[in-house]
Amino acid sequence: MTTTRPESTRSASPAPTSPASWLPLAAVATTLVLWASAFVAIRHLGADFSAGPLSLGRLLVGALCLGVVATATRGVPRPTRREWVSLVAIGVLWFGIYNVALNEGEQRVDAGTAAMLIQLSPVLVALLAAVFLDERFTAYLGIGLALAFGGVALIGLSTSQSQGRDLVGVFLVLLSAVVYAVSLILQKPLMKRLAAVHVTWLACTVGAVVCLPFLPTLVEEVRVAPTSSVLWVVYLGIFPTAIAFTTYAYALTHMNAGSLSVTTYLVPPITIVLGWMLLGETPAVAAYAGGVLALVGVAVARRKPRRVEHPPAPA
């Protein structure tokens, strides 16, 4: 017993590289605030930049910043052939199609409505994670999804009644939600071997390459756009793209995909507040009730089932 106890003790002790419990939560909070600000910035830039060039400008800035940070801190990544397939798919879907569809959709619907429509994705993520990642679909997760989605629907209903919605815009934002969900499922297995900043950098670079056909239009729109709008494009590339996607990938390494995706239900309330402060878009009263319901749903979905410990059988 004297020889086995120290070995079992060492094996049961946490790894020295385990992050503090608050770090994944801080990463999620950073992501949510920055993503919420992106909805407002995209809405603001609609008058100066079209959807494709705005996507390219944002991704070029993001890929450049991520490349510097990734190579300086973690070196050059060496993905396998199978990992490259997933990285290219994520780059095309999440960074390419997602950005172009969302940018075009936000030229047709307001920032708050777009943020709420995107929240269909956690439902898809939870279902896909249960099927492809063998993650447990708990009762708490199901109830939380229902409550949070109900809150999002309430916000969307109140917003549509006060401001109206464009069906094409709604479809484009929902398309963004679908490709986001698929990309998150593809990204989760990559985090077992690759660093979060490497995954984000490579996928962002692929997305930028996909959007290169918009380069001539981007050059022309940058030439005539005011300096403040160009700086907002740079902001989108650095903060909601380079930083937020990296913090989200980091959180994904320490949380399961279903529970993490549910936290994005906090984005619409944050977006509504920022939209009111920066764009003068005032939500309806019912939107506040929907925001509270979404918060409750997030809290419920993050609860874990209580483990029932059975007493040992008598000798």
Side-chain angles (χ1 to χ4, degrees), residues 77-87 190 193-194:
R78 292 178 174 81
T80 64
R81 181 177 300 180
R82 186 172 184 178
E83 289 170 341
W84 266 117
V85 172
S86 296
L87 286 167
L190 295 176
R193 201 184 71 86
L194 298 176

Side-chain angles (χ1 to χ4, degrees), residues 122 125-126 129 135 141 145 184 252 255-263 301:
V125 170
E135 292 186 2
L141 181 58
L145 285 171
L184 186 62
L252 187 60
M255 303 171 63
N256 68 61
S259 296
L260 178 60
S261 64
V262 171
T263 63

